[in-house]
Amino acid sequence: MTRPRTVPVVVWLIMLLHLAVMLVSTAVFPNVRSPDERQHVDLILQVRQGDAWPWPGPGTSFVTQGVTAGGFVESDSLDGPLHLADRQDLPPRDQRPSYLEAGGSATLTTETARGGIQPVFNQLVQHPPLYYLLGAGVVSLVPDWQDAPMDQVWLTLRWWNALLALPLPLLLFAAARRLRLPEPLPVAASLVPLAVPELTHLESAVNNDNLLVVLGACATLLVVRVLTGDLSRRTAALLGLVTTLALLTKGLALMFPAWIALAYLVAAWTHRERLRAAAVSLLVVAVCTLPGLAWWVRNVVVHGMLQPHGTHATPPDLTPVYGWSDGGITWLGRFAERMTTLFFVQDHAPGPMHAYLWQPELDASWWMARVALVVVLAGIVAALVRRPVPRLVALVLLFPVPALAGIVARGSWQQFAAFHDFGAALQGRYLYPGLVGLMVVAVAGAAVLRPAWRRAVPLALLVLAAGMHLTFQRDAWRLYWMPRDDGPGAFAQALAAVGHWYAFPSVVLVALVAAGLALTLVVAGSLARTALGERRPGSPAPVGADPMLAA
C-alpha cells in the first residue's frame, strides 16, 4: 500500500492548538518578561521611523524612551514574586500611554553606580537586520501606531511572532514522514513544540530567535530531503535561500553552511552513483548562500570582526585572566544546568547569575525539565542503537545542537576567562535552530516499540506536554500574578488581573482559552482512539473510523 501524501486532520488541529497556546502565553507573561524583549521592540520601532536604517554601527544605538510605555514591570532578573494581582496603578486600556507620550525617540537614560547618568545602549545592533525590517513592516500595518497605546503595539508584535512559529508542528510532521517513520510517529513529532513550554513562551514574545527557529526548521526539512536522495537543484536553491535568510537573522546561523556541506557529503556517500548531482547541488547551495554570507564579510571589512560588540565601538579586551582552577568546574556545571533548564522551561534566573554561589530554584518545572531530558536522550540512544533511520542520517540531523552548544560555550567561556562571569550567554533557546532534527531523531527511537505501544506514543507525548505546561504555568502564575494573600479567591483575583492587564479586550483572551481547551479535548480524543487501535494516522479510514486522523 502506498504511503499517504496528505496531512492528517489531527496535525492541522495540533497546529491550531500550538497557536492557541502561544497566544494565551502572550497574556501570562507580561511585556518585557522575555530575554531582551524591550530592546527587540525598540529596534523594530527605530527601523520603522528610519532612526536605525541604514543599520547603526556598534555602540551607536540607544533604547528610546517611548518603548517603556509598553511594559509595566522590570525587565531585569527578579528577586521574588511580583504579585501583580495586588497592583492598582495600571490605567484602563484606552488610557494607557503611547510611544510619543512616553518620550518617543528620545534616548532612555539610567543612573550609574557612581550617581552619574548614562544612555541605555541597544546592543542588538550586533545582529543582522532582517527580523527588524520585517517587524517594522508589521508595525506599519497598525494605524497611527505612535499615538496608539504602546502595549497594544507590543502585543501586535507578539502575535506576529506567534504566527511566525505557527508551521513548526507541520515541519516536524513532514520531516518525520520523509524519514518514513512508522505511523503514528510523524503525528507524535508534530506534538513536540507543545512539550517544550519555554519554546512556546519564546514564540509568544518579540525575539529574533523566532525567525531563526522557523528558518532552522525549514532547513532541517530540506536537509532531510537531501539525506533521503533529493539531490535536485530546486531543493538546493531552496536550501541556499533559507540559509541566506537565516544568516541575515542571527549569527548562530553561521553553522548552517558546515551542516549542509556535511549533509551533501553523506548523501554523496550513500548515493555514490549520483556523485556529480550531489556536487552540482552543493554548488547551487553555496551560490544561493552568498548574499547571507556577504553580511558577515561586511562585518569583517567594516568592523574588523565577524560579529561586532553591540554596546562598544571598540570591543572589550577579552584577554584571559581566569582559568580552570578559578572556578572552571563551576562554570561547566552551570553551563550544563542552564542549557538544560532553559531549553525546556524558564525560571527567569532569580538571583545574581554571575555570583559564584548562585543556585537554581528546584521548583516543579525544573524537575519536569529533567524528566523531558531523560525522555529525549532515551529516544536518541534507541535511534542510534537500533537504527530506525540510518545512523549517518541521524548524526547529521543531530549535528546542529552540539554545534550551537559549542558556539555558546565558546562565547560564555571567553566572558568567564576575562571577567569571571559564570552566567554569560547561558540560554537553552540558542539550541532551538536544531530543535527539529534533535526531536525527530528522538521520536524515531520509539519506532523500536511494538506496534501496540507505538500507537500510544502521540497520546503519551500529549500527556507529557500537559504535565510540562501545568508545572510551568503554576510557577509562572506564582511568580507574576498570584496576590500576597494566598487565601480563597486568590486565583480568581489573579485571573481578573490578567484580563485587566491584557492589551486587547478580555473577550479575545476568553475566546483563545476556550479554543485552546476545545482543541486539547478534540486532539486528545483522536490520539486516545489511535492508542486503542481504532485508527492509524495517515492510513485509509474504515467506515465509522475517527475522521480526525484521516489523511
Side-chain angles (χ1 to χ4, degrees):
M1 183 175 64
T2 60
R3 293 173 62 87
R5 299 183 61 85
T6 53
V7 179
V9 174
V10 72
V11 174
W12 297 112
L13 295 176
I14 290 168
M15 281 184 62
L16 293 177
L17 176 58
H18 176 225
L19 179 62
V21 171
M22 291 186 289
L23 295 181
V24 170
S25 294
T26 64
V28 175
F29 296 92
N31 292 351
V32 314
R33 293 309 307 163
S34 181
D36 298 322
E37 190 175 22
R38 181 183 65 175
Q39 287 90 326
H40 284 295
V41 173
D42 174 70
L43 197 48
I44 287 172
L45 299 182
Q46 289 198 53
V47 171
R48 173 64 185 85
Q49 297 178 104
D51 296 334
W53 194 259
W55 201 241
T60 64
S61 181
F62 308 99
V63 176
T64 61
Q65 293 180 13
V67 76
T68 61
F72 306 103
V73 297
E74 293 295 325
S75 60
D76 298 329
S77 297
L78 302 177
D79 295 324
L82 294 181
H83 304 297
L84 297 181
D86 293 330
R87 280 183 52 177
Q88 304 295 326
D89 59 336
L90 195 69
R93 290 183 185 86
D94 58 353
Q95 298 177 24
R96 293 175 190 174
S98 68
Y99 181 80
L100 290 179
E101 288 172 340
S105 58
T107 298
L108 181 67
T109 58
T110 186
E111 186 175 348
T112 66
R114 297 182 177 181
I117 299 295
Q118 68 178 14
V120 178
F121 288 94
N122 193 325
Q123 81 279 13
L124 299 181
V125 292
Q126 66 184 318
H127 297 304
L130 179 60
Y131 175 80
Y132 306 97
L133 290 169
L134 295 175
V138 173
V139 172
S140 299
L141 301 177
V142 180
D144 300 321
W145 70 268
Q146 290 182 311
D147 295 309
M150 184 58 209
D151 65 335
Q152 293 184 13
V153 178
W154 197 304
L155 186 54
T156 300
L157 287 171
R158 281 186 160 195
W159 278 46
W160 165 60
N161 277 260
L163 291 174
L164 280 177
L166 177 62
L168 271 182
L170 183 61
L171 293 168
L172 279 151
F173 171 84
R177 176 169 278 186
R178 177 73 185 188
L179 289 169
R180 302 186 67 82
L181 297 189
E183 303 293 352
L185 295 187
V187 172
S190 70
L191 288 160
V192 161
L194 295 173
V196 187
E198 175 55 14
L199 175 64
T200 55
H201 167 220
L202 181 71
E203 293 165 340
S204 72
V206 184
N207 197 298
N208 63 353
D209 282 323
N210 291 321
L211 179 58
L212 183 63
V213 169
V214 75
L215 290 171
C218 291
T220 303
L221 176 57
L222 293 168
V223 163
V224 167
R225 293 190 63 87
V226 170
L227 292 170
T228 52
D230 183 354
L231 300 179
S232 67
R233 297 178 188 180
R234 176 178 175 272
T235 294
L238 287 173
L239 190 49
L241 174 61
V242 169
T243 303
T244 275
L245 295 176
L247 287 167
L248 293 175
T249 301
K250 198 163 186 174
L252 291 173
L254 287 167
M255 70 89 188
F256 278 35
W259 172 43
I260 292 167
L262 178 62
Y264 273 98
L265 285 174
V266 169
W269 173 263
T270 305
H271 306 278
R272 297 178 185 82
E273 72 283 358
R274 302 175 61 196
L275 182 59
R276 184 175 182 276
V280 171
S281 292
L282 182 57
L283 180 61
V284 171
V285 174
V287 171
C288 294
T289 301
L290 289 177
L293 289 173
W295 176 265
W296 301 95
V297 173
R298 165 199 171 274
N299 280 350
V300 174
V301 172
V302 175
H303 304 299
M305 65 193 75
L306 197 61
Q307 178 161 315
H309 196 281
T311 60
H312 297 81
T314 302
D317 183 9
L318 295 179
T319 301
V321 176
Y322 304 95
W324 187 258
S325 61
D326 300 304
I329 190 66
T330 301
W331 169 85
L332 182 61
R334 189 162 303 170
F335 176 85
E337 188 279 328
R338 290 285 83 189
M339 297 301 282
T340 298
T341 301
L342 299 183
F343 183 92
F344 292 104
V345 296
Q346 173 64 266
D347 58 13
H348 301 275
M353 270 296 295
H354 62 275
Y356 186 84
L357 297 177
W358 175 87
Q359 292 293 328
E361 183 179 352
L362 307 184
D363 53 21
S365 59
W366 190 93
W367 286 108
M368 285 300 293
R370 272 70 201 161
V371 172
L373 176 65
V374 169
V375 172
V376 170
L377 291 179
I380 291 172
V381 170
L384 293 177
V385 172
R386 299 290 297 274
R387 302 187 220 182
V389 296
R391 186 174 293 166
L392 278 178
V393 170
L395 291 174
V396 172
L397 294 177
L398 292 172
F399 173 84
V401 169
L404 291 165
I407 293 172
V408 175
R410 178 179 179 273
S412 182
W413 176 261
Q414 284 182 330
Q415 295 294 313
F416 167 79
F419 308 114
H420 215 220
D421 186 342
F422 288 87
L426 301 187
Q427 296 284 335
R429 61 190 168 93
Y430 294 145
L431 306 182
Y432 287 162
L435 176 87
V436 171
L438 175 76
M439 294 303 189
V440 165
V441 173
V443 170
V448 305
L449 298 173
R450 290 181 297 178
W453 287 95
R454 195 166 62 232
R455 287 196 299 269
V457 169
L459 181 62
L461 190 53
L462 182 64
V463 171
L464 175 63
M468 294 284 290
H469 273 283
L470 285 174
T471 57
F472 185 61
Q473 291 292 326
R474 173 181 176 272
D475 294 337
W477 281 74
R478 290 175 60 192
L479 179 63
Y480 293 123
W481 298 105
M482 297 300 290
R484 284 183 174 83
D485 182 4
D486 199 16
F491 185 64
Q493 187 179 345
L495 279 174
V498 171
H500 177 63
W501 280 61
Y502 197 58
F504 293 163
S506 298
V507 65
V508 175
L509 187 55
V510 171
L512 289 173
V513 173
L517 291 174
L519 285 165
T520 300
L521 292 175
V522 173
V523 170
S526 294
L527 300 184
R529 285 187 286 272
T530 299
L532 294 174
E534 294 181 22
R535 277 282 290 123
R536 292 189 303 111
S539 63
V543 176
D546 175 22
M548 292 300 170
L549 295 176

